[in-house]
Amino acid sequence: MDNVYSKVRSFGEVLILVSIYFLVPQLVGSLFYYGFKLPEITSVYIGNICVAIIFFFMYKNMLKEKFKEYVSRVNNFGDSLKWWGIGFAIMVVSNLLIYKFLISDGPVNEELNRQALLSYPVIGFVSISIIAPFVEEMIFRFGLRKITGNNIMFPIMSFLIFGFLHTVAGLDRSLLELVYIIPYGALGFVFAKAYQKSDNIFSSISAHMMHNTFCYVMTIIALGVL
């Protein structure tokens, strides 16, 4: 009975995290967009920052403790780098195969990020390289592990859910966009493994930040934004 209660409680906790993740940016974004007449993308970024603040205060004691543990061991950063390198390699290879044999256009998710960076490179950096990794790791790794447990189902479910949610924006264009579950899911899988191996959420947050920052820098160079 205690185990069932614990699972129901964990599911409810994750449901709260997901609700905050989807609803707060819409509500706060609408307030700043319609009320203060800020640009739409700026309003959404402010909403995302609010989500990060809420998550931080919900788990501030755990986050402070895990951060101290993470920085106290030099090898932790190297492990995060290793896991990101594995995921990035899989992502690059799978994207090249998709481009060669299936879809000549990039994923819609990347196109939306490029459009945002063209208009707001500094705000884009804060949102993409700092806010998004923290928020997404709190949901897709910290929250998901509460439901699946620390077993093989955790990285598998992370692969599927993380991959799908990063491709869903392109399904209106073509159902073939679902193949991008593989490259995005690969990152979800290795981020979950990083968290699983270390039992420290900052292992996956750091790996996620490395990936997003690298992609941000490559994108602004390619676009000639800076």
Side-chain angles (χ1 to χ4, degrees), residues 2-204:
D2 290 340
N3 187 50
V4 173
Y5 173 76
S6 178
K7 286 293 184 183
V8 171
R9 181 177 178 179
S10 295
F11 184 83
E13 185 178 341
V14 174
L15 188 61
I16 291 172
L17 290 175
V18 172
S19 299
I20 293 171
Y21 176 67
F22 284 108
L23 294 178
V24 169
Q26 297 297 323
L27 295 174
V28 174
S30 296
L31 172 64
F32 280 89
Y33 180 67
Y34 293 107
F36 296 97
K37 308 301 180 183
L38 292 181
E40 183 177 6
I41 190 65
T42 303
S43 301
V44 172
Y45 283 157
I46 293 173
N48 291 335
I49 291 172
C50 289
V51 173
I53 292 172
I54 293 171
F55 284 2
F56 173 78
F57 281 103
M58 287 176 66
Y59 297 101
K60 64 179 180 179
N61 291 332
M62 180 276 292
L63 290 169
K64 289 178 180 178
E65 178 183 346
K66 291 298 183 181
F67 182 74
K68 289 179 181 178
E69 289 179 8
Y70 184 79
V71 298
S72 67
R73 181 173 176 267
V74 177
N75 290 341
N76 281 336
F77 184 82
D79 289 341
S80 295
L81 181 61
K82 177 193 73 175
W83 284 111
W84 169 61
I86 294 171
F88 184 71
I90 298 172
M91 188 178 196
V92 169
V93 172
S94 56
N95 271 327
L96 288 173
L97 292 173
I98 290 170
Y99 179 81
K100 182 174 178 60
F101 295 108
L102 294 173
I103 305 175
S104 59
D105 296 326
V108 169
N109 182 69
E110 296 298 327
E111 293 175 11
L112 294 174
N113 284 336
R114 283 195 293 269
Q115 292 172 12
L117 289 179
L118 277 172
S119 301
Y120 305 98
V122 176
I123 297 176
F125 172 78
V126 173
S127 180
I128 292 171
S129 296
I130 300 174
I131 301 300
F134 171 69
V135 169
E136 292 180 4
E137 291 308 306
M138 290 302 295
I139 294 175
F140 298 116
R141 256 58 70 182
F142 177 77
L144 184 59
R145 195 175 77 157
K146 284 180 170 291
I147 297 176
T148 63
N150 197 35
N151 51 51
I152 188 60
M153 286 305 298
F154 171 46
I156 290 174
M157 292 304 297
S158 178
F159 174 95
L160 294 172
I161 296 173
F162 194 70
F164 177 75
L165 289 178
H166 279 77
T167 61
V168 68
L171 293 183
D172 288 342
R173 183 171 72 178
S174 170
L175 287 177
L176 274 177
E177 287 279 327
L178 284 173
V179 298
Y180 285 111
I181 286 177
I182 297 172
Y184 283 113
L187 289 175
F189 186 90
V190 298
F191 293 159
K193 291 298 291 184
Y195 181 28
Q196 193 174 48
K197 291 292 184 179
S198 67
D199 193 32
N200 193 312
I201 191 61
F202 282 97
S203 293
S204 59

